[in-house]
Amino acid sequence: MSTTGPQPPEPIPGARLLFSLDPGVAQLNHGSYGAVPIGVQRVQQRLRDETEANPMRFFNLGLMDRIVHARRHLAGFLGADPEGTALVPNATAGAAIVLQSLRLGPGDEVLCTDHGYGSVALSIDREVRRTGAVRRTLTVPLHATDEEVVEIVRAGLRPGRTKLLVVDHITSSTARLFPASAITATARERDVPVLVDAAHTPGMLPISVDTIGADFWVGNFHKWGFAPRGTAALVVAPRWRRRIEPLAVSWQQDAGFPLSVEWQGTLDYSAWLAAPVGVFTLRTLGVERVRAHNAQLAAYGQWVVGQALGVAPADLPDPGGPMVSMRLLPLPAGLATTFPDAMTLRQRIAEELGVDVAINAWDDRGWLRLSGQIYNRAEEYQRLADGLPALLARQR
């Protein structure tokens, strides 16, 4: 085993003080639920206080204009057309909106990969049950190159029958960066619409949504963009905007996309209105500085925990890009091979080691996913490395 590997980055001064996280827990799973800076929390709370002080005034005087303003700010950060962008609660909701708007029928198919997010797959399954369409899943090896991924997708497309290709930008289960632009270009050549599930992209990676060329793109701001939970953006290409239908009809239905999707009556809109403060926080810290820090820290964490588990450096999964802030580790064979077992192991690690991580079952094997964020420190990954081997040995 190698004794030298990636080194942790220098901590960003004061970064930990920006968050209200429990200092007794090593929270190495930012990718699942994110963490909201205290300043953003306070802005959201002031918005909630404003709502409760006079609900009639809050909802009836200028709220839609405030939503549009927040949307324009967030769309600008993404390099997306604000008129083709709608704020939605999360990437799964955005995917569901797209699926129900396609008007699938018998014989149609939705194509995805085996790296796709579970709830999106469930949403696809619900829609094909309703319509008589089918879901087809492409197998993509974990270590496939970008060229191999594109070729697998190209070979799997069935022009005329494939009504939607769903592809992740950064996969959740496997922490893998997919070549979204190249995949989209390949599908466009065959006139197959593409939905890019970019749940982890905003804030983690540089992005210009409009240059990707996808028909549909959805990404969360509440993971790596420091926004309150419940903030995501659905971006729709011009030719599809008139066909988009919200999951529930409300008073802006006749306004069309995006207001018909955004306006859902008495929702708590405070997360959306506070989200630009999350982006401001990221920019104040330095977007590239944060991205580089997080990616370097995740790489260090993968290496130090991999050493403890006896995983050779050459066998550590490559995320597919230097700026990915999540890393994957294989667990010993036979552990966490099902979703319930993965959840049980995750909870045991949290309770016994005081460390939060993601555990996923994928391709009949258990995998541990680590994140790197500015509130993390090298010693937290070392804590996991020190305690995990004995904990796993007890599970066999």
Side-chain angles (χ1 to χ4, degrees):
M1 298 294 292
S2 172
T3 57
T4 60
Q7 297 300 303
E10 286 293 323
I12 295 177
R16 292 189 72 136
L17 300 176
L18 297 176
F19 299 87
S20 55
L21 296 166
D22 182 350
V25 179
Q27 308 203 39
L28 307 182
N29 186 21
H30 185 88
S32 283
Y33 301 108
V36 184
I38 294 170
V40 182
Q41 294 179 41
R42 289 174 175 167
V43 170
Q44 184 179 21
Q45 187 57 52
R46 286 198 295 271
L47 288 161
R48 287 173 170 157
D49 292 342
E50 179 188 348
T51 306
E52 298 310 322
N54 192 327
M56 285 290 291
R57 181 174 60 197
F58 181 84
F59 281 99
N60 291 311
L61 294 180
L63 177 55
M64 282 188 292
D65 290 338
R66 295 169 78 174
I67 293 171
V68 170
H69 178 78
R71 181 220 304 159
R72 289 184 177 278
H73 188 101
L74 298 176
F77 182 75
L78 297 174
D81 177 8
E83 302 308 313
T85 302
L87 299 181
V88 294
N90 50 49
T92 302
I97 290 168
V98 171
L99 287 163
Q100 76 155 16
S101 299
L102 286 177
R103 303 168 193 168
L104 298 170
D108 293 339
E109 72 173 22
V110 178
L111 186 64
C112 56
T113 80
D114 59 349
H115 295 251
Y117 190 56
S119 66
V120 173
L122 291 172
S123 188
I124 295 171
D125 288 343
R126 183 185 68 171
E127 199 60 31
V128 300
R129 284 196 304 269
R130 289 174 172 175
T131 61
V134 298
R135 171 167 71 96
R136 191 158 56 88
T137 303
L138 299 175
T139 299
V140 178
L142 182 62
H143 299 287
T145 65
D146 285 356
E147 293 75 15
E148 290 168 339
V149 173
V150 172
E151 184 52 41
I152 289 169
V153 172
R154 178 184 290 111
L157 294 171
R158 297 176 180 175
R161 183 173 180 184
T162 306
K163 300 302 182 182
L164 183 69
L165 168 65
V166 182
V167 63
D168 293 62
H169 193 189
I170 304 170
T171 65
S172 179
S173 295
T174 55
R176 172 68 196 272
L177 176 65
F178 272 11
S181 294
I183 291 172
T184 298
T186 295
R188 190 187 305 115
E189 292 171 358
R190 289 153 180 78
D191 199 28
V192 174
V194 179
L195 166 61
V196 174
D197 181 351
H200 290 275
T201 302
M204 184 195 291
L205 299 179
I207 183 69
S208 177
V209 173
D210 286 348
T211 63
I212 293 175
D215 299 83
F216 314 99
W217 182 101
V218 63
N220 294 321
F221 277 90
H222 55 245
K223 292 182 183 286
W224 304 91
F226 293 155
R229 293 170 199 87
T231 307
L234 169 63
V235 184
V236 178
R239 71 184 183 113
W240 292 99
R241 292 173 190 172
R242 290 182 177 272
R243 293 180 57 174
I244 295 297
E245 293 286 349
L247 296 178
V249 173
S250 193
W251 289 104
Q252 290 299 313
Q253 178 68 11
D254 291 342
F257 184 85
L259 279 177
S260 61
V261 167
E262 292 173 330
W263 185 257
Q264 293 292 304
T266 52
L267 288 185
D268 180 356
Y269 296 97
S270 63
W272 297 357
L273 301 184
V277 184
V279 172
F280 175 79
T281 303
L282 183 60
R283 283 177 163 152
T284 299
L285 291 165
V287 178
E288 295 305 321
R289 180 190 190 192
V290 170
R291 288 170 175 162
H293 172 279
N294 293 346
Q296 185 177 347
L297 190 57
Y300 169 79
Q302 181 193 43
W303 178 81
V304 74
V305 177
Q307 290 281 294
L309 296 180
V311 181
D315 294 330
L316 294 173
D318 188 334
M323 300 302 288
V324 178
S325 301
M326 300 189 299
R327 294 293 179 116
L328 200 66
L329 286 151
L331 293 172
L335 289 181
T337 59
T338 67
F339 179 78
D341 288 346
M343 294 302 97
T344 298
L345 179 57
R346 178 193 62 77
Q347 188 61 28
R348 285 176 179 163
I349 293 172
E351 292 173 353
E352 296 184 26
L353 303 182
V355 180
D356 281 334
V357 297
I359 303 291
N360 295 308
W362 182 81
D363 195 27
D364 297 321
R365 183 159 191 173
W367 302 86
L368 184 151
R369 192 191 72 193
L370 295 172
S371 298
Q373 188 48 271
I374 58 173
Y375 53 76
N376 293 130
R377 294 291 183 267
E379 55 266 27
E380 295 176 316
Y381 302 91
Q382 189 63 56
R383 185 203 302 185
L384 179 63
D386 291 342
L388 188 60
L391 185 151
L392 295 180
R394 295 194 297 272
Q395 309 306 311
R396 297 182 183 179

